Amino acid sequence: MCGIVGYVGKNNAKTVVLEGLEKLEYRGYDSAGIAVVKDGALKVEKRCGKLQNLIEHLQTIDMSSDVGIGHTRWATHGEPSDINSHPHFSMDKKIAVVHNGIIENYLPLKNELIEKGYRFISETDTEVVVHLIDSMYNGDMLKTVAEVVKVLKGSYALAILDVNNPEEIICTRKDSPLVIGIGEGENIIASDIPALLKYTNKVVYLNDFEIATVRKNKVEVFDKELNAIQFEVKVVDWSYDQATKNGFPNYMLKEIHEQSSIVQKMLSSYLNGGDFTFANLFSTIDLKRYTKIHLVACGTAYHVGLQAKYFFNEISKMDAKVEIASEYRYQNNFIDDRTLAIFISQSGETLDTISALKKAKEEGATTLAITNVVGSTITREADITLYTLAGPEIAVASTKAYTSQVLVMYLFSLFLAEKIGKLERKEEKIAELKRLCELLKVENEDEIKFSEIVKKLENAKDAFFIGRGIDYYSSLEGALKLKEISYIHTEAFPAGELKHGSIALIEEGTPVIVVGTQDNLIEKTISNLKELKARGAYIISIGKKEYEDMKNSSDIFIGVDVVSQILSIFSVIVPMQLIACYTSMKKGLDVDKPRNLAKSVTVE
Ligand code: M6R
């Protein structure tokens, strides 16, 4: 969703803001803009389309200044256009505002402002905020903003620039992320950490309703009544290099390659011999009291939930259910104080997931967040947080976040099983984990197979994925990966379900990706594969190396090693991620920033 960057300090604000916006491109956007205070006046420039359009447009414009705010907009109210892009400014061009989120009561506010004589030039909800600030201005911008946010309904991260007070940026948030990077002789605000990393790794996370004044040498944070708050500066252990492509043609491919070393790092951080190093997080909790587990997430993280459900059922012998966050938050989930509700979110900012967590907490569940981003909103809402240690994930299509989330869930299921006296064959299970890094390595030997697969897929309209049991859950993730970055319509089915309707979609040459790793189910999966083949499907199989029949019945077979049935996702995920990535590359698409999508979904 939208990205905000603001800068005040010793460098040229335009440069820092544009660089920061570039780092936020992954969030998804359709236009960009910047405002600086120069020679006592506000200069605002905006361009629809890629950030590059704005950068090129600015080449001949002098915007050098030590203070500025910028924005990448993901359209909600009003089409992507220069006018609708942020920053929005007051009629006298003294105040500029950038906004991430949705002002739900913008319409009545707009009508009131129109009656007072305010003229609107855009269709956005955000323009209401800037006119509201202007109309309520009481000579003190901080106090004015505190009054304005009391009137706003919905979600917002706001950064405000005022010509009459050019040494500072005022920012505030509710339900949309905003961090402040603390530098030396400079401070930066941004929607996400990668935008700050070139300048600092010291960050302050703003909480809902807090308001901050950010100056070159001073940051102050206030609560909504404007009492000063003692804030904590956290050090993020992400580096600027991690947020670069490092020689890869795109972030997605780089992140796929990183998975093996991330798993290694996670295992050495979370396992000390046979001990789980995160045990202290649960020291005050009696895990035996829980009778049910809820797993709640969106998109790829939801697919992690499906794998995790299997882990809790099989290893911890616990009842677990998986729910999509946007559904969970509006339904009766029969929560009580014996419910352990687990919320999985790479960004830790997904609005639906956070809202679902708040609901579960209110209803009495213990809440556990699984996230990648230290200090993200979800970590401040949940009772306990377990981090995935994957480093910044920039590509919209989630890869390393997925594998690291699955691993955290597996480790937690072992830990839980041990605590409740259900863990069997612990040593064997821990030994198996040590082999996962090997499985996640990207091998070049399959390159020819991948180019054949891509040749088949690049012109396909549809592609289907099938699997049984845990392989079905893996197929869902494979289908989502391919769909979101190649724009091929994909669907995943439990292999046995096809003949109940969907097999009607199979035509001569329709690509079907068959996932098969479960010894107890493979014969049945192969029968389904043959049913499809008989109807003309082009079969691409990803299965255990030793499955000869699968190999012989497929057009293309990718044989994989499996360390244990339950951990089979680690064997099949890399080929599926590569199929998606290479297909998107072959089609000449923007692998990292697929159309219409945002990395961090901070609206409902
Ligand atoms: O940050 P989150 O893990 O909460 O994001 C959830 C989904 O939006 C995300 O997993 C999405 O489905 C991925 N882009 C898919 O690759």
Side-chain angles (χ1 to χ4, degrees), residues 310-358:
Y310 198 80
F311 301 157
F312 289 120
N313 291 165
E314 296 299 313
I315 294 176
S316 326
K317 312 279 186 267
M318 292 259 320
D319 182 18
K321 75 165 182 169
V322 198
E323 296 280 339
I324 288 185
S326 53
E327 293 296 315
Y328 188 83
R329 56 184 292 200
Y330 295 115
Q331 70 192 19
N332 191 344
N333 297 302
F334 303 100
I335 289 170
D336 57 31
D337 61 358
R338 290 157 79 84
T339 308
L340 176 62
I342 304 176
F343 298 83
I344 309 166
S345 172
Q346 186 285 132
S347 60
E349 301 294 348
T350 301
L351 186 66
D352 282 323
T353 310
I354 292 165
S355 306
L357 185 153
K358 287 180 184 164

Side-chain angles (χ1 to χ4, degrees), residues 298-301 344-347 350 396-398 405 480-481 484 601:
C298 309
T300 285
I344 309 166
S345 172
Q346 186 285 132
S347 60
T350 301
V396 164
S398 187
Q405 286 164 352
L480 178 61
K481 282 298 84 91
E484 68 181 322
V601 185

Side-chain angles (χ1 to χ4, degrees), residues 298-565:
C298 309
T300 285
Y302 169 76
H303 298 157
V304 174
L306 293 168
Q307 299 277 344
K309 168 184 173 325
Y310 198 80
F311 301 157
F312 289 120
N313 291 165
E314 296 299 313
I315 294 176
S316 326
K317 312 279 186 267
M318 292 259 320
D319 182 18
K321 75 165 182 169
V322 198
E323 296 280 339
I324 288 185
S326 53
E327 293 296 315
Y328 188 83
R329 56 184 292 200
Y330 295 115
Q331 70 192 19
N332 191 344
N333 297 302
F334 303 100
I335 289 170
D336 57 31
D337 61 358
R338 290 157 79 84
T339 308
L340 176 62
I342 304 176
F343 298 83
I344 309 166
S345 172
Q346 186 285 132
S347 60
E349 301 294 348
T350 301
L351 186 66
D352 282 323
T353 310
I354 292 165
S355 306
L357 185 153
K358 287 180 184 164
K359 174 182 159 85
K361 204 169 165 183
E362 267 165 33
E363 292 174 8
T366 303
T367 55
L368 168 62
I370 308 296
T371 188
N372 194 33
V373 182
V374 175
S376 54
T377 304
I378 205 167
T379 66
R380 281 168 284 140
E381 297 291 344
D383 296 313
I384 309 159
T385 299
L386 254 176
Y387 287 105
T388 48
L389 316 181
E393 188 179 69
I394 310 285
V396 164
S398 187
T399 53
K400 61 177 182 173
Y402 174 77
T403 39
S404 60
Q405 286 164 352
V406 176
L407 182 58
V408 166
M409 292 317 312
Y410 188 74
L411 292 172
F412 180 68
S413 72
L414 295 179
F415 170 72
L416 177 64
E418 183 169 49
K419 285 285 166 200
I420 63 177
K422 297 275 168 61
L423 185 57
E424 291 162 9
R425 300 183 295 108
K426 178 177 176 183
E427 276 175 24
E428 198 184 307
K429 288 193 167 73
I430 297 221
E432 284 164 1
L433 287 171
K434 307 260 156 70
R435 294 177 51 208
L436 294 184
C437 311
E438 280 305 308
L439 301 180
L440 290 169
K441 282 197 178 134
V442 178
E443 307 287 358
N444 294 328
E445 66 206 32
D446 277 336
E447 239 167 53
I448 300 169
K449 278 185 194 162
F450 281 117
S451 62
E452 261 181 76
I453 295 170
V454 168
K455 223 186 282 166
K456 190 73 206 166
L457 287 173
E458 67 174 319
N459 297 315
K461 205 163 54 49
D462 311 292
F464 300 103
F465 286 68
I466 62 164
R468 280 174 181 261
I470 207 162
D471 288 332
Y472 164 56
Y473 303 152
S474 307
S475 307
L476 284 165
E477 177 58 8
L480 178 61
K481 282 298 84 91
L482 183 58
K483 162 194 304 178
E484 68 181 322
I485 59 170
S486 74
Y487 314 150
I488 297 167
H489 164 242
T490 67
E491 274 186 78
F493 299 104
E497 181 63 14
L498 272 180
K499 54 189 171 296
H500 297 288
S502 307
I503 203 164
L505 297 170
I506 303 297
E507 294 172 355
E508 193 60 39
T510 306
V512 179
I513 290 116
V514 184
V515 183
T517 62
Q518 308 294 297
D519 292 347
N520 56 331
L521 297 169
I522 192 62
E523 281 176 12
K524 295 182 194 307
T525 303
I526 293 173
S527 302
N528 301 133
L529 180 166
K530 289 182 176 167
E531 287 157 15
L532 292 165
K533 184 99 191 100
R535 286 157 181 83
Y538 182 87
I539 305 288
I540 301 157
S541 291
I542 305 173
K544 270 172 99 167
K545 272 184 178 152
E546 48 271 40
Y547 291 161
E548 280 298 317
D549 194 10
M550 189 180 207
K551 180 177 178 178
N552 296 333
S553 316
S554 306
D555 294 286
I556 299 186
F557 176 73
I558 298 179
V560 296
D561 291 312
V562 172
V563 297
S564 74
Q565 293 216 166

